[in-house]
Amino acid sequence: MTVVQKTDYLNVEMFSRFAPRPGRRDLLPPLTPKAQVALMCRMLFAEGWDDHIAGHITVRQPDGTIFTNPWELAWDEVTASDIVTLDGDGQVLDSDWNVTPALGLHLQLHAARDDIHVVIHNHPKWSGIWANLQETPPIYDQAGAYCGVELPIYNEYLGTLDSDDCSQNAIESLGAGKWALLAHHGALVVARDLRQAHLRAATLEWRCRRAYEVRLAGGAEPLPDDVVEQVSLPDPNGFPFLWEAMARRELRRDPTVLD
């Protein structure tokens, strides 16, 4: 048995230095690509990306199609069979579910950057506080430092993200970045694969929560930027085995996510 269950859309190169150990169990059962996306919805809901039916995840496939969650369902009830396939223009190919018109930002991001295969947007509680404050949250601990220092704020609120002009402005503000706070709105995370996206989304919400808790407690000295860079994970794909652990947690909670 292998230590890591290899799948098409979870980058496993980072595990090459971890030698397989005979007798070890696989970390996950075989997962279809749509099951991976459904699990991602559940995992991020548990991390606080949970504003009712708001928010959307898109995952570009090798053939250029895009998987996304349906508009009608909250992230904690999505199953594999609910995941919708879109073409590059956002037309639904295989589902009776609807998709939000705010997917325009996602489609433009996928088109603008070859390195982006996952785009996540929602209105999490803690990052939403800092988005409303239009401030960048300081970093106070190791878990908040996993993804580095830079966190841009897109502060030109032009309404909902179903406007092409608004979406284009947001893309330009993000630049080559990995995430952003959307002023008076929410948070945006982009990544090359699900594992990297999960770490970024979880780290962003943790960082924002801790920063607000420290502020409420009276404040403290944040970690210097050079220390954050030393603490941040050296592999851009993230924390070894974390994605699998959080996926197993969701499978224990509700195995029907794979249906």
Side-chain angles (χ1 to χ4, degrees):
M1 284 190 176
T2 58
V3 174
V4 177
Q5 179 74 42
K6 183 173 176 60
T7 56
D8 290 339
Y9 308 113
L10 293 178
N11 188 303
V12 295
E13 294 177 357
M14 66 174 295
F15 294 104
S16 60
R17 63 182 181 276
F18 294 97
R21 300 179 185 177
R24 287 287 296 274
R25 296 171 56 187
D26 289 335
L27 297 180
L28 284 171
L31 300 172
T32 67
K34 286 195 172 184
Q36 294 178 28
V37 180
L39 275 168
M40 186 72 163
C41 291
R42 303 287 189 102
M43 292 156 63
L44 292 186
F45 185 93
E47 296 289 349
W49 294 65
D50 58 0
D51 181 10
H52 305 92
I53 63 167
H56 19 281
I57 298 173
T58 55
V59 185
R60 180 165 53 193
Q61 308 304 296
D63 65 359
T65 60
I66 294 171
F67 289 167
T68 191
N69 57 295
W71 195 3
E72 294 93 335
L73 302 180
W75 285 15
D76 65 333
E77 62 177 333
V78 173
T79 67
S81 60
D82 295 318
I83 299 301
V84 181
T85 305
L86 308 173
D87 65 19
D89 296 321
Q91 299 301 308
V92 175
L93 299 179
D94 66 352
S95 179
D96 292 328
W97 291 120
N98 291 299
V99 295
T100 172
L103 280 181
L105 173 62
H106 292 232
L107 298 175
Q108 290 186 54
L109 278 165
H110 286 301
R113 286 179 54 180
D114 292 339
D115 62 314
I116 290 177
H117 299 289
V118 182
V119 182
I120 303 167
H121 168 62
N122 207 314
H123 315 140
K125 175 180 178 179
W126 302 102
S127 50
I129 290 173
W130 291 95
N132 290 340
L133 290 170
Q134 299 184 57
E135 294 182 33
T136 300
I139 299 173
Y140 290 100
D141 62 4
Q142 176 177 304
Y146 284 151
C147 296
V149 175
E150 186 176 358
L151 174 57
I153 300 173
Y154 170 59
N155 59 6
E156 187 181 354
Y157 190 82
L158 299 175
T160 58
L161 291 177
D162 53 1
S163 159
D164 287 345
D165 290 342
C166 181
S167 297
Q168 188 58 44
N169 289 337
I171 292 169
E172 292 172 0
S173 296
L174 180 63
K178 56 182 173 283
W179 54 15
L181 296 177
L182 306 178
H184 308 296
H185 191 163
L188 178 73
V189 168
V190 300
R192 73 183 185 199
D193 55 32
L194 292 174
R195 187 190 311 283
Q196 188 182 71
H198 174 262
L199 179 70
R200 289 177 177 180
T203 298
L204 177 59
E205 195 64 359
W206 181 278
R207 170 179 172 176
C208 290
R209 175 181 176 178
R210 279 289 181 263
Y212 194 68
E213 290 171 338
V214 170
R215 174 174 285 193
L216 291 179
E221 187 70 24
L223 290 175
D225 288 356
D226 61 332
V227 174
V228 171
E229 295 303 333
Q230 294 173 28
V231 171
S232 63
L233 295 172
D235 191 300
N237 199 39
F239 203 119
F241 314 125
L242 176 62
W243 199 94
E244 288 84 359
M246 298 302 98
R248 291 195 304 272
R249 177 179 290 173
E250 295 309 315
L251 288 171
R252 290 193 299 271
R253 289 175 176 169
D254 182 7
T256 67
V257 65
L258 301 184
D259 293 349

